[in-house]
Amino acid sequence: MLSEGEIGLGIWLTIRCTDVAELISHLGFDWVVLDMEHSPLCISDVQNLIQVIDETKTTPIVRVAWNDPVLVKLALDVGAHGVLVPWVNTKEEAELAVKSVRYPPKGIRGYGPRRAAMYGLKTKEYLETADKEVMLIIQIETAKAVENLEKILTVEGIDAVFIGPYDLATSYGFLGDPSQPQVQKAINTILEICKKFKKPAGIFASPTTATDYIKRGFQFVAIGSDIGILMQACTDILNKLKSKE
Ligand code: 3PY
Ligand code: MG
């Protein structure tokens, strides 16, 4: 979808429940991120959630807790179709992320594709296609990463860039507030550099900011998280009903 210039809509999954993942993936999201950086999802939760998501057309991407080959191979071995690697700030860190998702000789991914290769039923097919098909998305979410972005994007093997607006805002001195003009300026800079390098750019948004980000040229946009949208919907309903009393 991204290579054909289409827009992909996604959502963050953080709730440790297959029912929620099943419902969300049947709703028609193009992709979901199973968040292992800021949620209680552990690797067995992630495998259970991917098992239900795989019944749908939604692509399961795992955000690993850190740019670490050990965490990346675990996520891929339970069947993630791609990984989102947080806090990639330098060219060297981007090189590490690329190596983590590729088998030797291109990379350093250890061997053991358990569920990804359907427990041995599809080993040959998986090994022939994994390096090509596993998607690597790097997160750009600090001022340092913005400064280094041109160098970072010279690294071969990065499929897409994703902005973490909250960490980005925090690194510019605005804790958790991406609406600040300086942060929005940095977001535009990232978008321009991605265009120059022909890399699809994505961002974590909300139901209210998603449209604006799509208009500005983001190709894959998270409309928020399961828990955030649940909280907002319940709050809105309660406020509406209570104000009529
Ligand atoms: C951030 O905003 O920092 C993110 O990582 C989005 O999930
Ligand atoms: Mg972040």
Side-chain angles (χ1 to χ4, degrees), residues 133-171:
E133 291 192 356
V134 163
M135 189 174 183
L136 171 65
I137 311 165
I138 57 162
Q139 262 196 277
I140 296 300
E141 48 187 345
T142 64
K144 186 175 171 188
V146 180
E147 272 168 38
N148 288 330
L149 188 56
E150 300 229 2
K151 280 190 208 137
I152 289 173
L153 291 185
T154 61
V155 177
E156 238 179 88
I158 297 166
D159 295 305
V161 166
F162 193 88
I163 299 179
Y166 292 95
D167 275 315
L168 188 65
T170 303
S171 92

